[in-house]
Amino acid sequence: MTEYALVRSSRKTVAVQVGEGGRVTVRAPQRMPRREIDAFVAAQEDWIARRREEILARERAMQTVVLTQERLDALRRRGEAWLPALAARWAPRLGVTPAGITITNAAKRWGSCSARGRLCFSVRTLLLPEPCVEYVVVHELAHLREMNHSPRFYAVVERAMPDWRARADAVRTFERTHRIVEPGKDGK
């Protein structure tokens, strides 16, 4: 029997998810008996095994990028010099002016835009190929026009950067093929 983490909620159906490291999570209704959940998981054993192997194979093939403090500092210096200049170059094409730019050590987002018009970029953004960095900058600048991901937002991005889809795909490819770790964090 597959070991799994059980998450109960107000949902009406049961679902199995195989995540990072091949860990299995089962989401089930609050009152569903454990034996029914176990039976559901047992019926999904073949799918779970296939999915787990796919995920583990992809993780084994990933390139690991180690961010030592020295490398983080170097990326931050590069970002502080390059990202404001990049934003200044693209902002007129979108008809916007950011209120400021901050470089962070965010691990989950390449960039963000606050309601006050400040742009934040993770130092990790500087690991991306240059066309991808430009896309992240344009994406965040576009939020100064549309604070959402509506069709209008993507129309703003499209007007400034017609090849944005290819660049966004390249960002997703980077995410699927690279694991970024900091010594002393993430259990490493």
Side-chain angles (χ1 to χ4, degrees):
M1 177 69 169
T2 298
E3 287 188 30
Y4 60 88
L6 178 60
V7 177
R8 292 186 180 268
S9 66
S10 60
R11 63 182 298 130
K12 296 187 185 315
T13 60
V14 63
V16 177
Q17 176 185 21
V18 181
E20 188 176 302
R23 288 184 287 284
V24 177
T25 302
V26 177
R27 300 182 190 289
Q30 291 285 1
R31 298 184 203 273
M32 180 177 267
R34 185 68 183 238
R35 63 180 154 55
E36 286 182 36
I37 298 168
D38 287 342
F40 180 83
V41 171
Q44 302 296 317
E45 290 284 345
D46 289 343
W47 178 85
I48 292 169
R50 283 192 312 274
R51 185 73 180 126
R52 181 180 272 156
E53 185 50 39
E54 288 169 7
I55 289 169
L56 293 174
R58 186 175 68 229
E59 288 177 355
R60 284 189 297 270
M62 286 182 132
Q63 179 179 341
T64 299
V65 178
V66 179
L67 289 181
T68 61
Q69 189 59 51
E70 181 180 329
R71 188 161 187 198
L72 280 168
D73 292 344
L75 287 170
R76 181 176 300 281
R77 285 190 301 275
R78 181 173 173 228
E80 288 169 349
W82 185 39
L83 292 173
L86 200 55
R89 191 175 88 213
W90 283 94
R93 297 182 199 186
L94 287 97
V96 298
T97 304
I101 294 176
T102 304
I103 311 298
T104 70
N105 194 19
K108 300 290 182 186
R109 293 180 177 199
W110 299 113
S112 63
C113 177
S114 76
R116 294 184 180 197
R118 284 197 69 80
L119 305 183
C120 287
F121 297 100
S122 171
V123 293
R124 289 163 168 76
T125 304
L126 283 295
L127 298 171
L128 294 168
E130 187 171 334
C132 296
V133 176
E134 287 183 322
Y135 165 70
V136 172
V137 169
V138 168
H139 181 106
E140 298 310 330
L141 286 168
H143 281 307
L144 297 173
R145 299 276 306 272
E146 291 288 335
M147 287 295 277
N148 53 52
H149 289 114
S150 67
R152 286 193 323 263
F153 167 82
Y154 286 106
V156 171
V157 174
E158 176 100 21
R159 279 191 297 278
M161 182 179 275
D163 67 339
W164 72 270
R165 285 181 184 83
R167 295 176 191 231
D169 286 346
V171 171
R172 285 189 289 277
T173 297
F174 184 93
E175 291 170 336
R176 286 191 307 271
T177 59
H178 292 75
R179 176 185 304 112
I180 302 170
V181 296
E182 289 182 59
K185 291 191 179 180
D186 303 326
K188 305 286 186 251

